[in-house]
Amino acid sequence: MPREIRNIVILTGAGISAESGVPTFRTKGGVNYWEVESSDGVPNLHKVEDVCTPQALARRPELVHRFYDARRAKLAEVGPNPAHLALARLDAEWPGELLLVTQNVDDLHERGGSERLIHMHGELKSALCAACGHRETWEDGLPPGAECAICGEPALRPDIVFFGEMPYHMDAIERALSSADLFVSIGTSGAVYPAAGFVQTARYHGAETLEINLDPSEGSGWFAESRRGPAGTLVPAWVDSLLA
Ligand code: OAD
């Protein structure tokens, strides 16, 4: 007999925000490379993996801050799409446990209305003090060397998990996965761990697994069911069927 579904864990990636106009990372037209004008006017191409590291932040803070300033500014031009809104509706109406874990640093899930939400890779609209760990909401450009409101050190940095750093809230995520009846992955290529391994943890604990993605992901083989197509269409349909 199929297991009754009460506890749901949902993982989202850049693909859920694609239809809102936020570029993905690894697909065609994504932010695989970032271009900046150098002082001699010649554009430089930087691999995202070279910009989003603690080493890059230490060596070239102005480059790293400009990359995130540009992405933070872009948030004003985009809004939640039907997939974000459907997940917020599920959050509001689902009677059991539910945890939405996003790898995205945009704020479209919360603007869509989701509340049971974890940003495991950080948030564009937050600044983190590298000296004392204080966090504050940040809406505008963040110049390197900005001072922390609590300790006064010139150590505010984007509150983003860089390559090589530990994602946030892993204990809470592991706990939710261990009691999940259903794990759903939406719009992620399955290329970045530990998120890419959540499906295996959920399966180990006996959860049903569903992937909703435009293209086959690196982890598609781990899912019991895969649905191919745009999240803006498939996610509302899945939520409707779950709540019916
Ligand atoms: P990727 O860019 O790696 O993958 C996006 C996935 O979304 C691809 O598999 C696409 O097929 C799919 N996709 C694109 N448009 C879609 C749509 N309209 N509907 C459904 N699916 C769609 O993005 P992530 O998997 O999120 O880390 O990348 C994971 C992490 O790598 C990011 O969080 C970021 C990056 O380095 C940090 O910033 C720490």
Side-chain angles (χ1 to χ4, degrees), residues 13-15 18-19 24-27 103-104 121 161 163 187-190 192 213-215 229-231:
E19 289 158 80
T24 58
F25 290 93
R26 292 174 184 79
T27 36
Q103 298 169 90
N104 299 343
H121 288 167
V161 175
F163 286 99
T188 176
S189 60
V192 174
N213 210 48
L214 198 56
D215 311 299

Side-chain angles (χ1 to χ4, degrees), residues 60-84:
R60 299 198 55 190
E62 72 298 334
L63 176 72
V64 177
H65 280 247
R66 242 184 310 148
F67 176 74
Y68 286 106
D69 283 355
R71 299 184 65 206
R72 192 180 304 109
K74 172 92 182 153
L75 292 183
E77 298 165 20
V78 299
N81 68 50
H84 298 103

Side-chain angles (χ1 to χ4, degrees), residues 6-210:
R6 278 200 57 78
N7 301 345
I8 304 176
V9 177
I10 302 160
L11 172 70
T12 62
I16 197 167
S17 296
E19 289 158 80
S20 294
V22 181
T24 58
F25 290 93
R26 292 174 184 79
T27 36
K28 209 160 143 247
V31 259
N32 306 299
Y33 288 91
W34 185 56
E35 202 173 317
V36 280
E37 287 271 299
S38 64
S39 51
D40 58 7
V42 179
N44 281 330
L45 284 181
H46 297 271
K47 271 172 92 175
V48 167
E49 283 84 351
D50 296 337
V51 177
C52 312
T53 67
Q55 293 80 3
L57 184 65
R59 266 199 321 266
R60 299 198 55 190
E62 72 298 334
L63 176 72
V64 177
H65 280 247
R66 242 184 310 148
F67 176 74
Y68 286 106
D69 283 355
R71 299 184 65 206
R72 192 180 304 109
K74 172 92 182 153
L75 292 183
E77 298 165 20
V78 299
N81 68 50
H84 298 103
L85 299 176
L87 292 185
R89 187 161 71 86
L90 182 63
D91 184 11
E93 296 181 17
W94 185 252
E97 295 291 323
L98 180 145
L99 181 64
L100 173 55
V101 181
T102 188
Q103 298 169 90
N104 299 343
V105 295
D106 66 48
D107 60 352
L108 297 182
H109 280 307
E110 46 272 55
R111 277 160 64 194
S114 282
E115 291 183 358
R116 292 180 275 184
L117 170 67
I118 284 179
H119 278 277
M120 66 176 290
H121 288 167
E123 297 174 58
L124 282 169
K125 288 199 175 169
S126 173
L128 170 70
C129 176
C132 75
H134 168 69
R135 288 194 158 84
E136 51 189 292
T137 303
W138 208 271
E139 300 279 348
D140 304 317
L142 177 62
E147 285 176 11
C148 171
I150 300 300
C151 72
E153 289 294 324
L156 285 187
R157 55 164 273 186
D159 191 2
I160 304 286
V161 175
F162 292 144
F163 286 99
E165 294 181 327
M166 182 59 84
Y168 299 150
H169 308 296
M170 284 306 297
D171 286 352
I173 296 169
E174 293 287 342
R175 252 196 323 275
L177 286 171
S178 70
S179 63
D181 304 306
L182 172 64
F183 172 75
V184 185
S185 173
I186 303 168
T188 176
S189 60
V192 174
Y193 281 82
F198 291 172
V199 59
Q200 295 168 50
T201 308
R203 273 178 73 128
Y204 175 80
H205 291 286
E208 299 271 333
T209 52
L210 166 66

